[in-house]
Amino acid sequence: MKSNPEFIRNLWLELIPYHLIALFLVYGLLLILHLVVNDYAFNREIGHAAVFLLLIVTGIWGTKKASGAVYGEVAERTWDWQRISGLSPWSMTWGKLFGSTSFTWYGGFLCLIVAVLAYANGDARLKDWQLLGLSVFGVLLSHGLGFLISLFYIRSRTLENARGGGSIYLLVLLLFLFLSSFAGDLEHSKALLWYGQSLTAYNYLLVTAVLLWLWTLIGAYRVMRRELSYSGGPWVWIVFLWFLPLFFGGLAVDKYAMLMAGNGAKAWWLLAFGFWVAGVWLALFVEPKNPVDLRALLVALKTGQGRHVAQLMPAWLTALLLLPLAIAALYLMSSSQSLWEVKMIGLAQLATLAFLFLLRDISIFLLLALAKKSRADISAVIYLLVLYLLIPWILDAMGLDRLQVFFCPSPEQPLVWAMGGALTAAVIALVFLVRRWRRWSSAQASIA
């Protein structure tokens, strides 16, 4: 702690003495008022109130502070100075994350003290202690996620375009409130089956919050390394992509196996496919799509520089390369006698359709990046909304619903027709991308 000047600086900024005294007095007054309402009984009801205050103050306010820890520096034009300060990526990460939220955690520790004493003094149940632990790690997860998203935001935009990210914490807040309401319903839930093992819902959710919080720390550290111009391979990202289906797939194996004729393995691979598609989309939005980096990647591939290829591999491409593995597994486990059944599309064929249209969508993102369009990501989303929603709706209204296969996955159509449409859309988008890439490369060569 003594060797991290960023953490010390944030402590000086956050832990102002009269603010500490004021918050202590406000919390004390709220405790007294609740004691009066509760007939001076210092029991689990007081503990519940303290936990609720922890979620409201430390959770919401702390998430806002964590989300603005780096964004504030960007908005004030001091972030570039901090990048050349010589601090290591890990020191910068935990110094900003825990330093910026130190005042909210001061209030959180006061709530924790009251909750622990109240539960110990009253008729607290096991689920009360579990909910307390879940609240603490839920708040930590909310802070880490807000900090990570803000890092993604400033990396995917220039300094001038990143000035609107101060309210990015609202996205995390919505997720946080959703998970909090979900946790409140666990009291009436039954035991969960995870790879055949019986677990209580509280314990599973607590372990989930802890693991995801650790992943947000790892992710923030990795993004901070990139922001501070450190090189790194895709191995941590690959481990995370496998962690998601391995951990959450334990629920899918038991919960959805009955829907798939007892084939839990097929449910697992389908879930893995979904997670990896989500990984592609996440990386497309948050990762800079610099044509110079893509050209360097191609050069490294041609010259056989394996280590350089790993360092330059974009996250969206890493996730994309995992998808054929899931598709192949679904085909191998297909119960149909024919893998290319004309009348009915199975899961493997549906995943293939999704993969082909994903290739088209990636091509659109890269095309706009090569064209150096302002707000290229937003433009890509608008184009995809037109392709996925507007055009199919118009075709359906005109009675030309069979032409929808060229614009969106159409599992209700005959398989050959649906696959042909998806393949055509992917090939056309890739052809346009290759032509745009060649023009961009020629322009760069003429400049050089």
Side-chain angles (χ1 to χ4, degrees):
M1 183 181 300
K2 293 181 180 180
S3 61
N4 191 338
E6 181 61 27
F7 182 71
I8 299 299
R9 184 181 74 88
N10 278 285
L11 288 184
W12 279 105
L13 292 174
E14 295 293 327
L15 301 183
I16 302 173
Y18 63 85
H19 286 174
L20 299 178
I21 296 173
L23 187 63
F24 182 83
L25 294 177
V26 169
Y27 274 21
L29 179 61
L30 290 175
L31 175 61
I32 293 173
L33 290 175
H34 202 78
L35 279 172
V36 172
V37 173
N38 203 39
D39 295 329
Y40 298 98
F42 193 70
N43 54 20
R44 61 193 296 262
E45 297 300 327
I46 299 295
H48 291 343
V51 172
F52 178 77
L53 196 60
L54 168 71
L55 293 173
I56 295 298
V57 177
T58 309
I60 298 177
W61 189 10
T63 301
K64 184 179 187 304
K65 299 292 291 184
S67 301
V70 177
Y71 166 75
E73 305 288 349
V74 173
E76 296 172 7
R77 309 281 178 158
T78 59
W79 177 234
D80 287 337
W81 290 100
Q82 294 209 15
R83 291 176 62 188
I84 61 176
S85 63
L87 278 179
S88 67
W90 177 239
S91 296
M92 187 72 77
T93 299
W94 76 264
K96 283 193 172 295
L97 175 58
F98 296 108
S100 63
T101 58
S102 56
F103 181 69
T104 63
W105 272 114
Y106 164 74
F109 285 132
L110 294 178
C111 295
L112 282 176
I113 293 172
V114 172
V116 170
L117 293 177
Y119 287 158
N121 186 58
D123 54 345
R125 306 169 188 172
L126 176 61
K127 68 177 183 180
D128 295 328
W129 294 102
Q130 292 172 325
L131 187 59
L132 177 60
L134 182 60
S135 300
V136 172
F137 283 101
V139 169
L140 286 170
L141 173 59
S142 181
H143 292 180
L145 193 58
F147 184 72
L148 177 60
I149 290 178
S150 68
L151 284 176
F152 280 143
Y153 185 84
I154 65 170
R155 272 193 57 78
S156 61
R157 286 158 176 78
T158 60
L159 182 65
E160 291 76 13
N161 292 332
R163 299 183 66 86
S167 60
I168 198 70
Y169 79 99
L170 292 175
L171 297 175
V172 184
L173 175 60
L174 293 175
L175 176 63
F176 177 70
L177 294 177
F178 170 76
L179 292 177
S180 298
S181 62
F182 176 71
D185 296 333
L186 290 179
E187 180 178 355
H188 306 290
S189 63
K190 298 180 180 179
L192 302 175
L193 287 178
W194 187 79
Y195 291 114
Q197 302 296 318
S198 179
L199 299 173
T200 65
Y202 274 115
N203 288 340
Y204 182 81
L205 198 56
L206 179 58
V207 173
T208 302
V210 173
L211 292 177
L212 291 182
W213 171 60
L214 293 176
W215 274 114
T216 60
L217 292 182
I218 296 172
Y221 166 69
R222 297 291 296 183
V223 178
M224 186 67 77
R225 280 181 58 91
R226 291 294 184 94
E227 184 65 18
L228 300 182
S229 301
Y230 284 78
S231 61
W235 317 119
V236 174
W237 174 240
I238 293 175
V239 172
F240 178 68
L241 289 174
W242 278 102
F243 160 79
L244 290 174
L246 286 173
F247 183 74
F248 295 102
L251 299 179
V253 166
D254 293 296
K255 187 173 183 180
Y256 299 107
M258 292 185 296
L259 299 178
M260 299 180 180
N263 197 335
K266 183 182 291 188
W268 190 94
W269 280 108
L270 185 63
L271 185 69
F273 180 84
F275 275 125
W276 295 341
V277 168
V280 173
W281 279 106
L282 174 65
L284 279 175
F285 278 105
V286 305
E287 193 175 44
K289 291 167 282 295
N290 190 343
V292 177
D293 293 337
L294 293 177
R295 183 173 62 178
L297 174 63
L298 292 178
V299 172
L301 284 170
K302 290 179 181 178
T303 56
Q305 303 176 44
R307 183 175 181 181
H308 202 41
V309 169
Q311 292 176 348
L312 293 172
M313 182 77 72
W316 61 264
L317 183 56
T318 304
L320 183 69
L321 293 177
L322 292 176
L323 293 178
L325 178 63
I327 295 175
L330 289 173
Y331 273 118
L332 290 175
M333 291 180 290
S334 177
S335 59
S336 176
Q337 295 180 355
S338 174
L339 294 179
W340 298 96
E341 183 70 35
V342 176
K343 295 182 179 180
M344 183 176 182
I345 293 181
L347 293 175
Q349 293 82 9
L350 187 60
T352 305
L353 286 176
F355 178 76
L356 291 173
F357 278 104
L358 183 60
L359 290 178
R360 181 202 67 179
D361 301 342
I362 293 172
S363 300
I364 292 175
F365 272 86
L366 297 181
L367 274 168
L368 294 175
L370 287 170
K372 296 182 179 180
K373 295 281 188 181
S374 60
R375 300 182 180 273
D377 291 347
I378 296 179
S379 299
V381 171
I382 294 175
Y383 292 151
L384 292 180
L385 288 176
V386 172
L387 291 172
Y388 276 111
L389 298 178
L390 181 59
I391 294 180
W393 179 78
I394 293 175
L395 291 174
D396 184 65
M398 297 175 61
L400 301 174
D401 54 298
R402 296 202 68 174
L403 297 181
Q404 293 177 351
V405 298
F406 297 102
F407 302 96
C408 63
S410 304
E412 72 281 357
Q413 298 292 339
L415 180 59
V416 175
W417 185 247
M419 285 290 182
L423 183 60
T424 302
V427 169
I428 291 175
L430 288 171
V431 168
F432 275 100
L433 177 60
V434 171
R435 293 179 60 184
R436 169 66 70 175
W437 176 262
R438 288 176 176 173
R439 287 200 298 269
W440 180 86
S441 299
S442 299
Q444 295 300 310
S446 63
I447 294 175

